[in-house]
Amino acid sequence: MKHFILPAALLIIASITSCNTTKKLYEAKEYDQIIMREAPKVCAGKIRPNTISLIAAAYHEANQADHERIQALKATGQPEVWPEIFERYSSMKGRNDALACFPKEIKKSINYTRLNLDDELQAAQNKAEAYLTAKINQDLNASNPDFDQADRMIRQLEGINRENSHLNDLKLKSLAKRHGDISRLMHIEIFKRQVGPNRDETASFKETKDGLTATVTDHKLSKTATIKGKVNFIDPRSKRMLLSMPYEVSSNFEYNYSTVEGAREACSAQTLERLQQKAVPFPTDESLLNDAKQKLVDLIYQKVQ
């Protein structure tokens, strides 16, 4: 019997301690901590009435506070409110999702309703990203940029959307403005080099004039080289990685010229003008790859202007 009494006693103590801890969190208005701590236990079937009531109270009070704050922020009409609005909509959705696995009878008892916040969340995200992007650019273009503030907003933008199309460019711009000459920080890694074949696409047609005939052949020469890899920006003193960006750049060679067989006198003025373009050799693979590398460097410097 002693073997079973001790665990049971410990279970009672743990239950009382857990309830007391949850109550203290509630009194401290740490509503989301309550939900994060206790909701998974309810979903797993560990249901205690006192805890359920605390979860319900925390859920409704937190959502009500967020709803009222969102309405107040929207009423200002100011663009800088959207990051906070997005965060509050995200919190409301997170709480709602956390309680979605509760048994039906518990959902009913705590007045839980499945919220559809997708449209509001997406609209807030779009406006928050637009504001942060514009504000970061404005701050970095100032005569005396506050780099710490810009970097905080960049981290905030990344928290909202890691796939934001401007994110890496803003990181690069901040890095360049802060360190000046970024060429000393830049290390280019190439993972893949790919050079396409020499292509000579032709189209032939006949021209006639005064009983004379000429066969004209238009040539379109093309060749492409692509390199893929990443650009690492490394602090030369500490050797710390400051930023790493993937890239893919291509160099395209294109050239058009025409040749003629037969009587040139049969050619139109337009054709005769094209015939002044003479054939040229295809560029070597290495020269095309080097041009692609230079395009990458030029692209980086364009982004930090």
Side-chain angles (χ1 to χ4, degrees):
M1 290 296 294
K2 289 182 180 179
H3 178 74
F4 294 99
I5 292 174
L6 184 56
L10 288 175
L11 183 61
I12 293 170
I13 293 170
S15 177
I16 294 171
T17 302
S18 177
C19 288
N20 287 340
T21 302
T22 305
K23 186 176 180 181
K24 288 178 181 178
L25 287 173
Y26 180 80
E27 291 170 349
K29 298 185 178 181
E30 298 289 350
Y31 301 135
D32 285 335
Q33 285 196 41
I34 292 173
I35 292 170
M36 290 173 59
R37 174 190 172 93
E38 300 297 338
K41 299 176 185 177
V42 177
C43 293
K46 299 177 182 178
I47 299 170
R48 295 190 297 270
N50 290 342
T51 302
I52 294 296
S53 63
L54 287 171
I55 293 173
Y59 173 77
H60 289 296
E61 290 191 36
N63 277 355
Q64 183 62 29
D66 279 341
H67 175 73
E68 291 175 358
R69 178 61 176 165
I70 288 170
Q71 298 310 308
L73 290 170
K74 286 183 176 180
T76 68
Q78 299 301 311
E80 63 265 23
V81 303
W82 287 103
E84 183 180 346
I85 290 175
F86 171 77
E87 295 299 335
R88 288 185 178 269
Y89 272 133
S90 296
S91 295
M92 292 176 71
K93 185 178 187 304
R95 293 183 205 110
N96 198 247
D97 290 347
L99 272 61
C101 56
F102 279 20
K104 290 182 179 180
E105 61 274 14
I106 292 180
K107 288 181 181 177
K108 185 175 181 181
S109 70
I110 65 175
N111 195 26
Y112 170 89
T113 302
R114 185 69 175 172
L115 300 178
N116 184 0
L117 297 172
D118 290 347
D119 291 343
E120 291 87 344
L121 194 59
Q122 187 61 62
Q125 178 178 331
N126 293 341
K127 292 178 180 180
E129 289 185 53
Y131 164 74
L132 287 170
T133 300
K135 180 62 175 169
I136 294 165
N137 270 314
Q138 181 184 36
D139 285 1
L140 290 176
N141 289 331
S143 57
N144 187 24
D146 184 341
F147 294 113
D148 290 338
Q149 175 175 293
D151 287 345
R152 280 195 298 272
M153 287 191 293
I154 289 172
R155 288 193 295 272
Q156 188 176 13
L157 178 61
E158 186 170 25
I160 292 173
N161 181 11
R162 288 183 175 273
E163 304 301 320
N164 181 277
S165 59
H166 302 285
L167 187 59
N168 277 339
D169 290 350
L170 291 171
K171 288 181 178 180
L172 180 58
K173 189 171 185 176
S174 176
L175 190 68
K177 294 278 186 178
R178 184 189 291 267
H179 292 273
D181 180 14
I182 61 169
S183 61
R184 63 190 181 89
L185 311 176
M186 189 165 55
H187 297 261
I188 298 175
E189 290 187 48
I190 297 176
F191 301 150
K192 183 178 181 181
R193 302 167 182 242
Q194 184 173 354
V195 181
N198 297 345
R199 296 186 180 278
D200 184 356
E201 300 176 51
T202 61
S204 297
F205 57 94
K206 293 184 181 295
E207 290 191 349
T208 59
K209 183 179 179 181
D210 299 332
L212 301 174
T213 301
T215 300
V216 180
T217 301
D218 289 338
H219 295 258
K220 180 181 179 181
L221 306 183
S222 62
K223 185 176 182 178
T224 300
T226 300
I227 56 175
K228 298 180 182 180
K230 65 180 179 179
V231 183
N232 299 321
F233 296 88
I234 301 172
D235 188 317
R237 288 176 295 182
S238 67
K239 306 302 180 184
R240 182 173 64 91
M241 179 78 74
L242 302 172
L243 177 63
S244 183
M245 297 172 55
Y247 70 83
E248 178 178 339
V249 289
S250 297
S251 177
N252 300 308
F253 165 77
E254 287 188 358
Y255 184 79
N256 298 293
Y257 72 98
S258 298
T259 57
V260 63
E261 293 181 1
R264 291 174 67 95
E265 294 82 359
C267 295
S268 65
Q270 183 180 8
T271 297
L272 290 173
E273 184 177 351
R274 289 203 310 272
L275 288 173
Q276 295 179 18
Q277 292 288 110
K278 303 302 181 183
V280 298
F282 284 93
T284 65
D285 292 0
E286 196 61 34
S287 67
L288 214 53
L289 287 168
N290 286 336
D291 185 63
K293 292 178 192 176
Q294 187 58 50
K295 286 181 182 296
L296 172 62
V297 174
D298 293 342
L299 179 64
I300 291 171
Y301 277 99
Q302 287 173 13
K303 289 179 179 295
V304 301
Q305 297 303 315

